[in-house]
Structure formats: structure tokens, C-alpha cells
Amino acid sequence: ILTLFWFILYCNLLGLLPWGATATGNLAVTGALAITAMATIEISGMVALGPMGWIKTIVFVPPGTSGVTAVLLTLVMIPVELIGKLVKPFALCLRLFANMTAGHFVILSLMGLIFLFGTGPFLVRWGVAGGSVVFVLFMMALELFVAVLQAYIFALLTSVFIGLMQHEH
């Protein structure tokens, strides 16, 4: 988990360097991280619970039910549990990708204002340029915080999902 945190943090911070690109701003990278997290979550659950205990996390019979009710609820819960197993890594993937991409779009938009107002009156040009630079510096500081926060959230949620998988329902 700590290796995952440092890797994501390094990838996030790489995008803050001049002419650098954020690897986690690429959906393929975040998707690979999410697939790796999902494999780790499921394998750790299978090791901790055994094969039959792991199957019980998918084929869930609600306690206190029997007969036809238990069969119907089990048939309803199987797709719900399978979708839940796929949604967790998908949410990790999209959260990291969207947050790392959004900040860069805002910074590029603010810098684009300089060029958009580049042909206006002198005071407007310098006012927009000065304001853009101030806002870009603020956004860069915010991006630094978001880079650390997103690495922490990805690692924390992965460890929480691993911990949840270690126990049966």
C-alpha cells in the first residue's frame, strides 16, 4: 500500500514540473492501478477466507431467511455483489483520473486568458495577465495539495477494501 501511495504521488507530482506530464492524468495508467488494486483485494480475500469463504462474498444468503425467500434474495444479491466488486476499482480509477486532469485544465484555461486578451488595451492586457498569473500560482499550490491527497485517498481506499474483504459478510 505504501509503495502504491509513493508511486501515485510521484506520478502526480511529475505533472507539476515544467513540461512534465501527469501519468495519472492518463486513463490507462489509472485503470491499470485500479485493476492491480482489484486483483490484490480479491486475492487477499481468497487467501484470508479460503476459496469457499471467498465464494460466500459473492453468493450471499441473508441471515434469517430460508426457503424460497433465501433463493430469491440470493439470486438478486449475486449480480449486486459482482457489480460492487467491479465498481470499487472503477471508482478509484475515475476519481484519480478526474481530479488530476481537472486541475490541469483549470491551469491551462487561466493561462489561455492571457492569449485571449492579448490584443486588447494595454491596461486590460496587463491586468488579465497579472490576474491569471496570480490565479495560476494559487492553482499550482492547490494542485500540490490535491496530488498528495489523491495518492493518500487511493492508498487508503485500497487498504480499506482489502480489510473489508478479509471478513465474511
Side-chain angles (χ1 to χ4, degrees), residues 3-19:
T3 303
L4 182 67
F5 169 79
W6 286 112
F7 176 76
I8 293 172
L9 181 62
Y10 177 77
C11 289
N12 291 348
L13 293 177
L14 204 58
L16 296 177
L17 295 174
W19 299 286

Side-chain angles (χ1 to χ4, degrees), residues 41-87:
I41 292 165
E42 297 304 320
I43 290 170
S44 70
M46 193 175 293
V47 167
L49 301 174
M52 290 309 296
W54 181 78
I55 293 292
K56 287 180 183 177
T57 64
I58 298 170
V59 182
F60 177 65
V61 180
T65 59
S66 61
V68 176
T69 308
V71 171
L72 287 175
L73 284 175
T74 301
L75 290 176
V76 169
M77 290 304 291
I78 288 173
V80 169
E81 293 293 333
L82 287 173
I83 290 170
K85 286 183 180 290
L86 295 174
V87 165

